[in-house]
Amino acid sequence: MGHFSLKIRTRWLLSGALLVALIFFAWVYGWGGGPINVMNFSAEDVDYIKIYGPIQVAKVSEKDEIQSVIDAVNSFRHTGNELKLIPKYGLFLGGTALYEFRVFLLDGEEFEVTFGLNNASQPPADTEVSYWFPGRGKIIPFSSTCRGSMELFYELLEKGSKVNGF
């Protein structure tokens, strides 16, 4: 009877360990992740959006362009978090480029989300970035990651103005 009980306990422990590992890797790699949907407003609620790139700034104030930016940011798909980047890039290495989206709402509120590009050699149509919300005052050691197209943002920044010093 004792041998049978040991087998059952071992199976339960092994099953539990496998479940914990599965949940951990699903969290790290974002398995089954859908769109990030971080901008919960429409263009009608927005006065303008400023997009800050590494050397350029774009101000978007046309309602159709504002909606395009909102839709493009929201369409990025959740891909986990930065823990998976440690083997590639090491600990606490910043992104090669930061893209900040500052949304100025008509009610006077401001919303901000930042994309951190860790690998500049990715194709613009399919780019994985880290993202976080600087205005929320929380420091998160490992940001979430998402994947989507940066093409619209690059086009808008190209039409924008150069940041001082560049």
Side-chain angles (χ1 to χ4, degrees):
M1 180 94 177
H3 178 68
F4 181 72
S5 177
L6 181 61
K7 274 186 169 180
I8 290 174
R9 270 190 265 147
T10 303
R11 284 185 184 164
W12 275 106
L13 284 173
L14 184 58
S15 296
L18 287 173
L19 181 61
V20 168
L22 180 66
I23 291 169
F24 175 75
F25 284 106
W27 173 66
V28 169
Y29 290 96
W31 296 336
I36 60 173
N37 289 323
V38 294
M39 294 187 175
N40 298 318
F41 38 79
S42 72
E44 299 307 315
D45 303 320
V46 177
D47 188 17
Y48 63 93
I49 297 175
K50 277 196 172 179
I51 304 172
Y52 296 86
I55 60 170
Q56 291 176 286
V57 177
K59 182 178 180 181
V60 181
S61 53
E62 298 294 323
K63 293 297 181 187
D64 59 331
E65 283 187 332
I66 290 172
Q67 191 62 53
S68 294
V69 170
I70 292 169
D71 293 343
V73 169
N74 283 340
S75 72
F76 272 67
R77 299 195 64 78
H78 179 70
T79 58
N81 68 53
E82 290 178 320
L83 277 175
K84 68 180 173 214
L85 303 177
I86 292 173
K88 273 186 179 176
Y89 306 114
L91 275 175
F92 307 115
L93 293 177
T96 57
L98 297 179
Y99 296 88
E100 181 181 323
F101 302 87
R102 294 184 72 190
V103 181
F104 298 87
L105 300 167
L106 290 171
D107 66 4
E109 292 290 318
E110 198 174 312
F111 174 83
E112 185 177 347
V113 62
T114 300
F115 283 177
L117 180 62
N118 293 313
N119 179 358
S121 65
Q122 299 178 78
D126 185 32
T127 304
E128 185 171 45
V129 296
S130 301
Y131 68 99
W132 59 91
F133 308 95
R136 294 192 181 166
K138 294 180 182 176
I139 297 175
I140 300 171
F142 296 104
S143 300
S144 294
T145 58
C146 59
R147 178 177 296 281
S149 175
M150 295 288 289
E151 292 174 316
L152 173 65
F153 314 134
Y154 293 158
E155 289 171 19
L156 292 170
L157 286 167
E158 191 65 32
K159 291 190 275 184
S161 59
K162 299 282 184 193
V163 175
N164 291 338
F166 288 97

